[in-house]
């Protein structure tokens, strides 16, 4: 009897093992049962180098990767001029890209991304890009590309007739005087320049921590993006705003540029983002479709203010606008231009990063933008003030109150709140002035309220905010505690 039990147990164990092996085997074959289109869609999320490796899996997979509509090449370098890059590695990358493009004929390429140090291969790389865009590219990403001259740059953008998204990241325009980006279907344009304030050509990083998500690979290609010609302008009428010959001469100095002039025509453009030193002049034309615009300056000065004004004129139809503190500071430094900012009749949301309200000029620049946004319904501050000592007095008010505060502004959001005196005054003024406000959301800076003293200060700040008079009797205040507390307290 015991012998039968042992035999039965052994048999059951073998059956279970066989069943598991069969299930595993079936699992391994499931991907082979997928349609080619589904496999190609999966491969489109891989860098092209990794997608190519799947060709060794089976005869069926040998050429599947060649029909993937996404090409993503990264040379593996992390600097603009990587002198230490081994020549054989450079040659392997160059040959790989050319072989892929040759084998792709005539397949459609919907998404083409290239991150590459140009070095002495400018003509060769420009040929790659031109060849790629002829495959009906809809999303084009160029990183660290050097455009050799006006003709090649213009020739490239001229063939992008069905382009929908264009990302120009750390590209060099030193050899280009003017270029026109014109595509009737382009919906998204993202331009990020090199930050020359703290970088040089030999130590610039490849943007690992930038607002556009990138996946760097140390072997070859992969820089996935997750997160602008014949010019139609030569001079602007900005000179008119100066009241003296000295100011007019200064305006000419501000407008003269050694950089490239961009003319962007996008009747379907919905999203525009610029991050840089405003070395280049950029004009947005036919932008009635624009929905969202972001402007971020690496530094703040009058010269940037003049060029930011030009951009804002072309973006006046935007429904959402995001500015950082340097962009606001630049407009403030060129305060003679504030009255000449455009009216933003369609603007319903403004997002401001770290504006320093202590300084009168920056406050006036921000208030001018608010006064020129009559339909604004949502206002967000990503930080109201940097933390530093200030010995002056906080005696500013909203005078006159922006019209949107009395008619349209429903929501104010403040994040990275430190509870400083200047921030509390700002909250008090905003609550009192916004007469149709429905909700104010305040999120504390999680790094400022970690210990017992911080939590005590947080409670005191909450009580102080709740005691402020409100211009709107229906306004609710929602105060978020630091993430580690993971709770929200709402007050009526």
């Amino acid at each position: 009897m015991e012998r039968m039990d042992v035999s039965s147990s052994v048999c059951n164990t073998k059956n279970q093992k066989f069943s598991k092996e069969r299930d595993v085997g079936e699992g391994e074959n499931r991907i082979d049962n997928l349609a080619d289109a589904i496999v190609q869609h999966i491969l489109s999320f891989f860098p092209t180098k990794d997608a190519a490796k799947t060709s060794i899996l089976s005869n069926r997979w040998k050429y599947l990767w060649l029909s993937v509509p996404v090409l993503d090449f990264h040379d593996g370098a992390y600097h603009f001029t990587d002198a230490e890059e081994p020549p054989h590695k450079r040659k392997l990358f160059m040959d790989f890209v050319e072989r892929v493009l040759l084998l792709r004929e005539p397949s459609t390429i919907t998404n083409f991304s290239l991150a590459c140090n140009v070095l002495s291969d400018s003509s060769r790389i420009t040929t790659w890009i031109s060849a790629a865009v002829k495959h009906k590219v809809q999303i084009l990403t160029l990183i660290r590309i050097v455009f050799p001259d006006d003709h090649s740059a213009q020739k490239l953008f001229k063939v992008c007739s069905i382009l929908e998204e264009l990302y120009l990241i750390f590209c060099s325009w030193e050899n280009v005087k003017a270029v026109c980006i014109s595509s009737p279907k382009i919906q998204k344009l993202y331009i990020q320049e090199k930050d020359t304030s703290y970088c040089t050509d030999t130590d610039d990083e490849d943007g690992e921590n930038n607002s556009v998500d990138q996946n760097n690979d140390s072997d070859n290609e992969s820089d996935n993006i997750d997160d602008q010609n014949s010019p139609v302008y030569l001079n602007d009428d900005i000179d008119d705003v100066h009241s003296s010959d000295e100011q007019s001469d200064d305006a000419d100095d501000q407008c003269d540029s050694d950089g490239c002039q961009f003319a962007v025509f996008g009747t379907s453009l919905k999203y525009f983002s610029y991050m840089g030193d405003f070395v280049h002049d950029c004009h947005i034309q036919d932008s009635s479709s624009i929905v969202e615009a972001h402007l971020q300056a690496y530094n703040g000065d009058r010269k940037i203010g003049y060029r930011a004004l030009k951009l804002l004129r072309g973006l006046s139809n935007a429904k959402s606008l995001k500015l950082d503190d340097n962009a606001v500071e630049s407009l403030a430094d060129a305060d003679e231009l504030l009255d000449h900012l455009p009216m933003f009749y369609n603007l319903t949301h403004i997002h401001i990063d770290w504006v320093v309200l202590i300084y009168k000029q920056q406050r006036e620049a921000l208030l001018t933008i608010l006064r020129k946004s009559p339909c604004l319904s949502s206002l967000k501050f990503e930080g109201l003030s940097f933390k530093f000592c200030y010995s002056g007095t906080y005696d500013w008010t909203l005078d006159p109150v922006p019209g949107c505060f009395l008619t349209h502004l429903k929501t104010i959001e403040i994040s990275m709140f430190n509870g400083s005196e200047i921030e509390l005054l700002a909250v008090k003024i905003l609550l009192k002035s916004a007469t149709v406000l429905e909700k104010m959301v305040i999120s504390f800076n999680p790094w400022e309220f970690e210990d017992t003293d911080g939590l005590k200060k947080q409670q005191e700040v909450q009580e102080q905010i709740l005691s402020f008079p409100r211009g709107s009797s229906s306004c609710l205040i929602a105060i978020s505690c630091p993430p580690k507390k993971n709770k929200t307290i709402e007050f009526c």
Side-chain angles (χ1 to χ4, degrees):
M1 191 70 172
E2 291 180 359
R3 184 176 298 174
M4 290 180 61
D5 291 341
V6 172
S7 177
S8 177
S9 176
V10 171
C11 186
N12 288 336
T13 301
K14 289 182 177 180
N15 288 336
Q16 291 175 2
K17 183 177 180 180
F18 175 77
S19 179
K20 289 180 179 179
E21 290 176 348
R22 183 182 61 186
D23 291 342
V24 170
E26 290 178 353
E28 289 175 346
N29 291 325
R30 284 174 188 167
I31 195 166
D32 282 335
N33 294 328
L34 296 175
D36 287 356
I38 296 177
V39 174
Q40 290 163 353
H41 178 71
I42 295 172
L43 291 177
S44 70
F45 293 96
F46 288 78
T48 300
K49 169 182 63 65
D50 293 335
K53 293 176 181 177
T54 64
S55 62
I56 65 173
L57 295 179
S58 68
N59 287 333
R60 182 201 173 202
W61 286 74
K62 190 170 183 179
Y63 299 107
L64 269 179
W65 70 277
L66 285 172
S67 299
V68 174
V70 177
L71 292 182
D72 180 10
F73 300 107
H74 191 298
D75 63 359
Y78 296 99
H79 303 84
F80 289 93
T81 54
D82 199 335
E84 298 181 358
E85 185 180 5
H88 73 278
K89 182 179 178 182
R90 171 82 173 180
K91 185 178 186 303
L92 286 174
F93 170 77
M94 302 290 286
D95 292 345
F96 176 73
V97 176
E98 289 192 344
R99 284 181 57 214
V100 172
L101 292 175
L102 181 63
L103 292 171
R104 287 296 306 234
E105 295 287 353
S107 303
T108 296
I109 303 173
T110 59
N111 189 332
F112 183 78
S113 177
L114 176 64
C116 179
N117 283 335
V118 174
L119 303 180
S120 60
D121 298 305
S122 175
S123 176
R124 191 174 177 186
I125 291 172
T126 302
T127 301
W128 294 351
I129 301 171
S130 298
V133 298
K134 290 178 182 178
H135 288 254
K136 299 181 180 180
V137 168
Q138 297 172 18
I139 302 175
L140 177 63
T141 303
L142 303 177
I143 304 173
R144 288 184 278 113
I145 301 302
V146 177
F147 293 92
D149 51 53
D150 289 57
H151 176 72
S152 59
Q154 192 56 65
K155 182 180 178 181
L156 166 65
F157 293 115
K158 187 176 181 179
V159 298
C160 298
S161 58
I162 66 169
L163 193 65
E164 295 181 4
E165 297 182 17
L166 175 61
Y167 301 85
L168 302 172
I169 302 172
F170 302 151
C171 292
S172 176
W173 306 92
E174 282 87 351
N175 305 317
V176 181
K177 293 181 179 179
V179 65
C180 175
I181 299 175
S182 178
S183 174
K185 294 187 177 182
I186 191 166
Q187 298 181 28
K188 189 171 186 177
L189 177 57
Y190 179 98
I191 301 176
Q192 182 175 357
E193 305 288 359
K194 294 183 289 185
D195 187 352
T196 57
S197 63
Y198 65 89
C199 297
T200 65
D201 280 346
T202 58
D203 63 9
D204 276 337
E205 295 287 334
D206 191 26
E208 289 179 276
N209 298 319
N210 293 300
S211 56
V212 174
D213 294 333
Q214 302 172 27
N215 297 317
N216 294 319
D217 188 289
S218 58
D219 292 331
N220 279 323
E221 324 77 26
S222 86
D223 208 310
N224 295 326
I225 299 298
D226 192 267
D227 293 190
Q228 304 157 129
N229 286 253
S230 49
V232 295
Y233 57 90
L234 294 175
N235 295 306
D236 209 278
D237 57 354
I238 292 180
D239 294 353
D240 297 342
V241 308
H242 296 283
S243 58
S244 68
D245 293 338
E246 180 179 353
Q247 288 176 317
S248 295
D249 292 340
D250 188 32
D252 290 333
D253 292 340
Q254 303 297 334
C255 294
D256 289 341
S257 170
D258 293 328
C260 177
Q261 294 191 47
F262 289 90
V264 179
F265 292 84
T267 55
S268 301
L269 188 64
K270 298 184 183 301
Y271 175 92
F272 175 84
S273 179
Y274 177 87
M275 182 188 303
D277 279 324
F278 288 76
V279 174
H280 311 292
D281 278 335
C282 185
H283 274 205
I284 310 294
Q285 308 288 340
D286 301 329
S287 61
S288 58
S289 61
I290 193 77
V291 174
E292 186 175 353
H294 295 186
L295 296 185
Q296 180 176 335
Y298 292 146
N299 298 287
D301 60 41
R302 296 183 72 248
K303 187 174 184 180
I304 290 178
Y306 274 77
R307 291 174 179 161
L309 175 64
K310 290 182 180 181
L311 266 178
L312 288 171
R313 284 177 171 175
L315 300 169
S316 60
N317 289 312
K319 295 178 176 63
S320 176
L321 175 64
K322 182 177 181 180
L323 300 173
D324 76 336
D325 59 309
N326 284 326
V328 175
E329 180 183 344
S330 299
L331 291 170
D333 288 343
D335 58 347
E336 68 274 15
L337 301 181
L338 293 180
D339 289 339
H340 298 269
L341 283 169
M343 291 295 297
F344 298 96
Y345 289 108
N346 297 328
L347 196 60
T348 59
H349 175 74
I350 292 180
H351 183 147
I352 304 293
D353 275 353
W354 291 108
V355 64
V356 183
L357 297 175
I358 288 174
Y359 299 129
K360 180 179 179 181
Q361 282 184 308
Q362 289 200 31
R363 288 202 309 269
E364 286 304 314
L366 175 57
L367 289 175
T368 300
I369 295 173
L370 294 176
R371 290 174 186 136
K372 289 179 175 286
S373 308
C375 299
L376 190 70
S377 61
S378 174
L379 176 60
K380 179 176 180 178
F381 294 98
E382 188 81 23
L384 275 176
S385 178
F386 287 115
K387 283 190 62 186
F388 54 80
C389 295
Y390 178 67
S391 58
T393 58
Y394 308 122
D395 56 356
W396 58 277
T397 59
L398 291 185
D399 186 21
V401 175
C404 59
F405 277 51
L406 308 176
T407 57
H408 287 77
L409 188 61
K410 305 294 185 183
T411 303
I412 297 177
E413 183 178 351
I414 304 170
S415 60
M416 299 301 290
F417 192 76
N418 294 308
S420 66
E421 188 176 350
I422 184 66
E423 291 173 299
L424 287 169
L425 177 59
V427 170
K428 184 176 182 179
I429 292 174
L430 292 171
L431 278 173
K432 183 178 180 181
S433 304
T435 58
V436 295
L437 193 65
E438 296 177 355
K439 183 166 64 173
M440 176 178 282
V441 180
I442 299 176
S443 176
F444 284 104
N445 182 348
W447 291 276
E448 192 63 23
F449 303 95
E450 294 181 327
D451 54 20
T452 304
D453 291 339
L455 294 176
K456 181 180 178 181
K457 177 185 176 182
Q458 177 182 298
Q459 185 61 38
E460 292 172 353
V461 169
Q462 289 180 7
E463 293 174 357
Q464 192 171 353
I465 291 174
L466 292 178
S467 69
F468 291 154
R470 309 177 197 182
S472 171
S473 58
S474 60
C475 176
L476 296 177
I477 301 177
I479 301 180
S480 294
C481 299
K484 61 169 61 178
K485 297 299 179 182
N486 195 28
K487 64 178 180 179
T488 297
I489 305 174
E490 288 209 5
F491 304 91
C492 296

